[in-house]
Amino acid sequence: MWQQHDLERLQKRLSYTFRSPDLLKQALTHRSAKGAHNERLEFLGDSILGFVIAARLYHLFEKGSEGHLTRLRAHLVREKTLAELANEIEVGNVLKLGGGELKSGGYRRASILSDAMEAILGAIYLDGGMESAQRVILGLYDERMKSLTLDQATKDPKTQLQEWLQSRKQELPIYDVTKTEGQEHNRTYWVSCETRDGQQKTEAKGSSRRKAEQAAAEKMLSLLLGEK
């Protein structure tokens, strides 16, 4: 399935060479494919990533409050950012997917890319230890960390929308799950966000209800602010 030069190229972009290439292969294997897949590695990588980013932010922003640091961490470890990192090092080109996911373009899907990115970090930890995982993570995030400011510690879209409406003495919006698709372990949610007067309505999807609600709220806020 994998060409050796493809795996070598990915390791070069990670600035890390695996002692056990099988760990990397497992990290690149989606649950829809046969064989050992990356779910457990994803779980591990998620925890390691969160810790490394939290520690870096703690030292980087000595005057940052818990709220500021929490929001910055959430921004850096969210699905969208992880998918961007995966695209930058071309993880999608070496993913192993089942037939259905392959046909539907799963190698471009943000949820699959972000999960694979976390799994790769988990695999690096198992292969080379915490120091190696930390070095790779900080290397991947170097440019983003350099441009980071406390001003970017913005509140999440749902909170921003809530405060915008309340400042205008308007009621909070209604969120409703309009559709779900996929099996329980790999479900996609469609959520609508509608103003109480029924004048404005947006819809968005996500790999969890929370993510779909945040995306729908972000669309609603842009709509109300007259942004395209």
Side-chain angles (χ1 to χ4, degrees):
M1 178 345 188
W2 287 283
Q3 296 295 323
Q4 184 60 31
H5 61 82
D6 290 331
L7 295 179
E8 289 174 356
R9 187 184 300 119
L10 176 60
Q11 291 175 89
K12 186 175 181 180
R13 287 172 177 152
L14 287 165
S15 297
Y16 182 81
T17 301
F18 276 82
R19 299 186 182 96
S20 174
D22 285 344
L23 275 171
L24 175 58
K25 292 176 182 178
Q26 183 178 348
L28 295 171
T29 303
H30 187 255
R31 66 175 72 91
S32 62
K34 293 180 180 178
H37 56 70
N38 62 12
E39 278 189 336
R40 284 168 54 83
L41 289 174
E42 174 200 338
F43 164 78
L44 184 60
D46 174 64
S47 299
I48 293 166
L49 174 64
F51 168 74
V52 171
I53 293 298
R56 184 71 183 109
L57 291 172
Y58 180 87
H59 293 293
L60 195 60
F61 297 106
E62 294 182 358
K63 296 182 179 180
S65 68
E66 179 188 2
H68 283 126
L69 299 180
T70 297
R71 287 191 286 272
L72 284 175
R73 181 182 60 183
H75 172 76
L76 291 171
V77 304
R78 63 181 178 167
E79 180 181 284
K80 181 180 178 183
T81 304
L82 284 166
E84 289 172 355
L85 288 172
N87 280 321
E88 288 168 13
I89 61 174
E90 299 184 2
V91 169
N93 293 345
V94 285
L95 284 178
K96 183 179 180 181
L97 304 169
E101 288 291 356
L102 194 60
K103 290 178 182 177
S104 64
Y107 58 91
R108 294 191 300 265
R109 191 169 302 134
S111 59
I112 290 178
L113 288 170
S114 63
D115 289 350
M117 196 71 240
E118 290 176 335
I120 290 170
L121 299 176
I124 291 172
Y125 167 76
L126 291 178
D127 189 74
M130 192 64 189
E131 185 176 337
S132 295
Q134 180 174 324
R135 179 174 53 79
V136 171
I137 290 169
L138 294 181
L140 289 169
Y141 278 92
D142 183 56
E143 291 301 319
R144 286 171 172 81
M145 286 291 188
K146 285 179 180 177
S147 62
L148 210 57
T149 67
L150 282 178
D151 291 336
Q152 291 172 274
T154 54
K155 296 172 183 176
D156 64 81
K158 282 186 71 175
T159 302
Q160 290 183 59
L161 176 59
Q162 176 180 320
E163 292 182 352
W164 190 91
L165 291 170
Q166 288 178 329
S167 70
R168 288 157 179 78
K169 296 185 171 24
Q170 296 180 31
E171 294 185 83
L172 300 185
I174 301 168
Y175 295 95
D176 186 40
V177 177
T178 59
K179 183 173 70 169
T180 60
E181 193 174 85
Q183 298 180 357
E184 187 173 351
H185 66 278
N186 188 28
R187 186 164 292 173
T188 300
Y189 295 80
W190 277 260
V191 169
S192 65
C193 175
E194 185 175 6
T195 54
R196 291 281 176 170
D197 60 11
Q199 295 297 308
Q200 305 287 359
K201 185 176 182 179
T202 59
E203 188 174 60
K205 66 178 180 179
S207 56
S208 70
R209 177 172 180 166
R210 180 183 63 81
K211 290 177 180 178
E213 286 180 350
Q214 294 287 3
E218 188 171 16
K219 284 186 176 182
M220 177 61 76
L221 192 58
S222 295
L223 184 63
L224 293 172
L225 294 173
E227 299 174 356
K228 293 184 179 180

